[in-house]
Amino acid sequence: MASLPPINGVTTNTLSPGHLLTLGMFLFGIDAMAYSELSRRTSWRHGTSERFMARPASQYLGPGEDTITLSGLLVPEVAGQFVAIQIVKAMADTGEDYPLVDGLGRVLGHYKIVRLEETQHGIMGGGLPRGVDFVIELERVD
């Protein structure tokens, strides 16, 4: 486990691969569903209005979309559980938003699950996959 310098005035002593991110009560980590990539897209809104013989006037309107995409590989023989995908689906089915907290305890905001993509591979007898690639897209609502 690695020691870290203080982040935003908060001292962190260790990092755990078992706790990467928490969405509501769901824990992304080695035991359930570890992601290998996190991509975040943030935008800001600007309104414009046309002007005669000049460039359009622009006004800042505030924050825009904030989406996070998590992708990874679920291989229960190594790490994770197939039931984790069913739990994420059940959370998405509620339509609720959940607090998103990183492994250092920083609250990133409230997000809803807007997309889950799974690709099964290495299919064994009975149709059971050896692994599942997944992509989860979260959209900020607060």
Side-chain angles (χ1 to χ4, degrees):
M1 302 226 179
S3 292
L4 293 177
I7 297 176
N8 294 336
V10 176
T11 304
T12 56
N13 295 327
T14 59
L15 285 178
S16 169
H19 183 191
L20 302 174
L21 194 70
T22 304
L23 180 64
M25 296 301 288
F26 184 81
L27 180 70
F28 286 93
I30 298 301
D31 294 337
M33 188 178 213
Y35 59 89
S36 57
E37 238 176 66
L38 183 150
S39 173
R40 188 171 188 178
R41 185 176 60 240
T42 307
S43 63
W44 294 266
R45 298 176 301 131
H46 296 268
T48 59
S49 55
E50 296 295 322
R51 298 187 297 183
F52 182 71
M53 299 294 290
R55 289 187 181 95
S58 178
Q59 180 179 3
Y60 176 65
L61 299 176
E65 289 185 5
D66 186 357
T67 59
I68 292 179
T69 304
L70 305 170
S71 58
L73 172 62
L74 185 62
V75 182
E77 293 174 353
V78 179
Q81 304 173 20
F82 288 134
V83 71
I85 292 174
Q86 299 307 317
I87 293 169
V88 170
K89 284 181 180 179
M91 290 172 67
D93 284 343
T94 68
E96 297 291 324
D97 59 276
Y98 303 95
L100 186 65
V101 181
D102 71 10
L104 299 175
R106 296 177 292 185
V107 178
L108 303 177
H110 277 74
Y111 287 80
K112 62 183 177 181
I113 302 167
V114 294
R115 184 172 70 97
L116 171 63
E117 183 178 324
E118 10 172 348
T119 304
Q120 299 180 357
H121 51 85
I123 307 299
M124 300 182 296
L128 184 66
R130 237 186 234 271
V132 177
D133 289 310
F134 65 88
V135 177
I136 299 171
E137 188 171 324
L138 308 172
E139 189 174 284
R140 189 166 182 172
V141 297
D142 63 347

